[in-house]
Amino acid sequence: MSLKEQFGKDVLITGWGHSRFGKLTEETLESLIVQVATEAISTAGIEPGQIDEVYVGQFNSGMMPLAFPSSLALQVSPDLANVPATRVENACASGSAAFQQGTKSLLAGTAKTVLVIGAEKMTHAGADVVGAGLLGADYDMAGKPSTTGFTGLFAEVAKHYEKRYGPVSDVLGTIAAKNHRNGVDNPYAQLRKDLGEEFCQTVSDKNPMVADPLRRTDCSPVSDGAAAVVLSRSATGGTNPAVRLAGFGHANDFFPAARRDPTAFEATRVSWQRALAMAGVGIHDLDLAEVHDCFTIAELLMYEAMGLAEPGQGARALEEGWVFKDGKLPVNVSGGLKSKGHPVGATGVSQHVLAAMQLTGTAGDMQLAAPRRAAVQNMGGVGIANYVSILEAV
């Protein structure tokens, strides 16, 4: 059973916009939002006045003074005056949280056309401000001093994984190298350099250990950027073919670390199960997946949470070539957060845009051979807030 069969309504991505990710000193949060919103509305083939509702995904967490961005999208056009606009926040999953809120407005019948934006400005803030802001998404470390920040939290996950299943350092280096290689072809990506496996697997002056066993190449960069989509209940005659949302899932885990198995990502698994079940498909029916690789250990655990490999066997996905660009389920063809960058509020919307581009044959040098079905997985905290979307070519 698909989403349409369950709810009796279609949810289509009919337009999108995407900024470059990186250190965008010349851009403001407002300019980024206006840029991608304008592009999304234009490519959807609609007028601003046809937007019924706006959702803006942004984490912020004290990383910039302006913490009330919901009406910034109205700067696109006077015709957006008085349109309902809401900021949505769920840590690094804020973008997908906004996407699902827009989806639910369409399914509820309170809107026919919704504009969803994800945006974040981070690079202007000092490392201490960014680190403290991100740690606000952790129950145990929020407000506490830390020299390793969120990297330290995922390093602990990696240590638990190694204790249970064996060494993963080289495996993580392979994931980093794969995503850097893929990012070379992504014009939006922050880090467009093929570093190679040996460099990513080796600790060096240029690739220092940040929090054992995670090296610099195991960590996504601090980024600025934005992305937007238009969601509609029917095709709007836009620049590109529409993309159908076939299913979605959302699951939250307990906040205290003591109440979670650090290597299971159980709520992540549940979000995958819910999305696949709603879409009426299995993991092997997918042609690609964009997943939340904030750190390489997160992507390794994702192979297992999504059902591609059994617990402790995630390395098989790399050893047997499944997740490479020419494999049976390419993962992070965009370069992922690792190479593309991670402006946290923008990430989930960006993942939907990049997947939609693949399904419409408009991904340029990133393009796979005629994919028909894609998954997007976005996560907030250490496996806390979890969102999955299944998208299909129309």
Side-chain angles (χ1 to χ4, degrees):
M1 177 179 290
S2 67
L3 178 151
K4 185 176 182 180
E5 292 168 330
Q6 182 171 337
F7 294 99
K9 297 174 183 175
D10 246 337
V11 174
L12 303 176
I13 300 176
T14 54
W16 52 80
H18 202 297
S19 78
R20 183 170 59 86
F21 281 6
K23 187 173 184 178
L24 309 180
T25 55
E26 72 283 6
E27 300 287 356
T28 64
L29 183 67
E30 179 178 335
S31 69
L32 287 167
I33 286 174
V34 170
Q35 174 193 333
V36 298
T38 300
E39 186 180 352
I41 292 169
S42 175
T43 57
I46 63 173
E47 297 298 325
Q50 293 175 260
I51 299 293
D52 299 313
E53 200 163 0
V54 177
Y55 287 99
V56 179
Q58 186 213 22
F59 180 41
N60 192 351
S61 192
M63 290 184 287
M64 68 173 300
L66 180 63
F68 184 41
S70 55
S71 280
L72 290 179
L74 275 56
Q75 301 293 79
V76 169
S77 169
D79 293 336
L80 285 171
N82 303 316
V83 170
T86 305
R87 175 194 175 209
V88 180
E89 185 277 309
N90 221 355
C92 297
S94 296
S96 284
F99 182 92
Q100 285 201 13
Q101 289 303 115
T103 294
K104 291 173 182 178
S105 287
L106 295 185
L107 295 179
T110 57
K112 294 181 179 179
T113 306
V114 176
L115 174 63
V116 178
I117 304 162
E120 207 80 59
K121 276 286 289 182
M122 302 171 69
T123 64
H124 64 283
D128 56 337
V129 174
V130 173
L134 295 177
L135 280 177
D138 186 75
Y139 179 88
D140 301 288
M141 289 301 297
K144 296 179 181 178
S146 172
T147 58
T148 56
F150 237 80
T151 307
L153 301 180
F154 275 88
E156 288 301 310
V157 171
K159 288 176 182 177
H160 282 288
Y161 191 94
E162 288 190 319
K163 186 179 295 185
R164 189 173 296 183
Y165 300 117
V168 295
S169 181
D170 283 355
V171 173
L172 301 184
T174 299
I175 291 172
K178 169 183 72 71
N179 291 348
H180 274 286
R181 190 178 310 121
N182 288 346
V184 171
D185 294 328
N186 184 352
Y188 304 121
Q190 181 170 354
L191 305 175
R192 300 184 67 187
K193 187 174 183 180
D194 185 352
L195 298 177
E197 281 195 36
E198 183 177 356
F199 180 85
C200 292
Q201 291 174 345
T202 305
V203 176
S204 65
D205 289 342
K206 292 185 177 180
N207 190 26
M209 190 72 74
V210 180
D212 191 19
L214 302 183
R215 298 148 297 219
R216 180 178 291 165
T217 49
D218 294 307
C219 311
S220 58
V222 172
S223 315
D224 305 327
V229 294
V230 171
L231 301 179
S232 307
R233 282 163 43 183
S234 59
T236 56
T239 304
N240 302 310
V243 171
R244 175 175 289 113
L245 177 64
F248 62 90
H250 173 204
N252 267 52
D253 210 335
F254 295 106
F255 209 5
R259 299 197 65 180
R260 291 179 273 118
D261 181 332
T263 68
F265 277 33
E266 183 55 35
T268 312
R269 185 184 302 275
V270 171
S271 65
W272 274 100
Q273 292 169 345
R274 288 174 176 168
L276 291 167
M278 184 184 290
V281 299
I283 192 69
H284 298 294
D285 295 313
L286 302 176
D287 297 309
L288 71 141
E290 288 289 323
V291 308
H292 193 97
D293 63 322
C294 50
F295 300 93
T296 52
I297 184 62
E299 181 167 327
L300 179 64
L301 283 168
M302 205 53 56
Y303 302 157
E304 300 170 16
M306 67 200 293
L308 191 59
E310 294 298 316
Q313 299 295 314
R316 286 190 60 201
L318 296 157
E319 294 163 356
E320 302 189 22
W322 303 342
V323 295
F324 291 92
K325 197 169 182 178
D326 58 353
K328 66 179 184 181
L329 181 56
V331 172
N332 286 336
V333 177
S334 69
L337 286 58
K338 178 69 213 62
S339 174
K340 183 180 59 176
H342 184 28
V344 291
T347 287
V349 183
S350 166
Q351 291 173 310
H352 284 85
V353 171
L354 272 294
M357 291 173 67
Q358 287 285 350
L359 296 175
T360 55
T362 59
D365 291 340
M366 295 179 284
Q367 187 65 52
L368 298 172
R372 300 293 299 169
R373 188 176 290 115
V376 167
Q377 180 271 330
N378 188 201
M379 178 173 68
V382 186
I384 304 297
N386 302 273
Y387 295 83
V388 176
S389 298
I390 308 299
L391 306 179
E392 293 179 344
V394 175

